[in-house]
Amino acid sequence: MARRALTAALVTAAVVVGSLVVPNVTSATEAACVREVSQNVPDVASGLPDNVELFDGYVNGLFYGNERVSFFATSGRDQLTDEQKQTYDVLEDVIVQIAAGSRERTDNIALPGKTWTFTELGVTSSSDALDAAADLYLRRSLGNGRVFEALFSDHPYELYWFDKTSGYSTSLNTSSSGQSVTVSAQVKMSVAVEYQKSSDLYCVDSTDVSRAQSAAATAKSIVAKHADEPDYEKLVSYKNEICELVSYDTAAALDESTPYGDPWQLVSVFDANPSTNVVCEGYAKAFQYLFDESDFTSTLLRCITVSGAMAGGTGAGPHMWNVVRLDDGQSYLVDVTNSDKGSVGQNGGLFLASYDAALGDAHPYSYSFFIGFDSVSYRYDSQTAELYPKDYLLIAGKPYDGAEEPPAPDGDQGSEDTPKPDDTPKPDDGSELEKPVDDAPAAKTQTMWRLYNRYTGEHFYTASAEERDLLVGIGWTGEGVGWVAPTSGTAVYRLFNPYADDHHYTMSEEEYDALAALGWSQEGIGWYSADAKNGVPLYRQFNPFATIGTHNYTTSKEENDALVKLGWKGEGVAWYGVSAS
């Protein structure tokens, strides 16, 4: 048995041979070699955020469960050969385990082995076979760094612990027997100092990630606990749960260096540790998270997190809170921070609250809320005012009174003579009465209403008179009937972009799903299109100068042509309505 040690350094573009010890061959048919290849991270990793920022992203993923998206447009794995994918899959599994805290060691990561014959390698001696096999393994199984480049592209957050400065190394063990040579390999990856356990370069401290995982599980259990409650009660329960779990961190609030944007504020709410308290950001983010993870009976409910300045309550200065739209279409203040025990709003005066005074004569307004002899006021900052449409930030001027039940005939309780569903009067001859009008066949068409938002430039279309009236009530302009749609036919799907506050409509299921994957909210079937043979065409125009409200739909050829003359692009027929007659 002979043994040879070869040390090399693989940098971005080349393999540099450091030292070579010629083996002491003791057999004509057996030989062995150990090659240690130290590697810097690929160029793709240098463009990633720092370790702390990547860990923050990983923690957010634990809560929201979002799919990991490649930082570089396409999946890195898809660019690999089948042989390289085998190596990738082994390393991916280990990296995910380390990130999740189920594995601490980052060394001795065994990769798939390979065996070749001397003939396949094009050599005749054991010495040449050892070198040729090692080089071939680096090239074919590791892609000379391409596998790690793909991993950094596809799993940046799971690699939050990796030290991009120290890099990683691969140990290649090659041995020949007869006319064949086998390569086995192990990888070790350096750990960044802030994530090392006991200063061990190859061991990850999983304390923080375990805490984050526990907090995420607690948050999800709260959502499940209140899943069956009515919408309003569910929101009240979330406020109570948050206030029970955490207290206000006065020291951090008084420290001007405490930054916004810390995901650990969310973790600290749900980690069941009484010593980890939070500032207003934690309260607001926790409420937003529980809302986002919930299903509600009403589709009108909406929650946003806003920032600005507050006077009163926990003190004057920067503040973060929520604004929630309820099923009446109106938006209300939600300040969970100042609803906690011992705060000015502990009895509910600042939770789902309407304002008592609106200050100023231009948007964004300042709102004041009176609680006994105390007054608490809020003003949005410029970033919030620019981020959200005006109607998202308008607070209701009257308290929410819930869904009103229509009064029963002849008094609230009804009279004893009022017929019940099970004792419908019968004629004397015992024959059945004629069926009521309500059992007549349903209408086969529906009116489509058109509205315009003068603040964003968007035209909006809905078959719901209730939705139309709610939008008009918060500032949209009703433009009457847009067209008449059939109640069956080809579905036209409706989507909403929460980042641009814009709607999109399509008959393509593929486009519907593709936009959802990009972050659009699917709002189901908006209406149906008639067939082209007998339908009334809906013309579509595109405004290349706008970023919101870029499309308009109309049955009027004159409106279509007029907009095209103004610079809009005519895009033909989008779908078909039916004749109003």
Side-chain angles (χ1 to χ4, degrees), residues 239-240 243 283 334-351:
K239 181 260 295 182
N240 293 338
C243 293
Y283 286 95
V334 169
D335 187 354
V336 182
T337 306
N338 283 291
S339 298
D340 204 350
K341 296 179 290 292
S343 297
V344 64
Q346 65 178 350
N347 294 323
L350 295 174
F351 184 76

Side-chain angles (χ1 to χ4, degrees), residues 2 6 63 111 121 137 151 155 157 161 203 207 366 380 397 412 418 481 492 526 538 568 580:
L6 178 63
F63 279 86
L111 301 182
L121 295 171
Y137 189 93
L151 286 165
H155 293 281
Y157 295 119
W161 49 269
C203 189
T207 302
S366 292
Y380 303 116
D412 290 341
T418 301
V481 177
V492 179
L538 266 292
W568 292 60

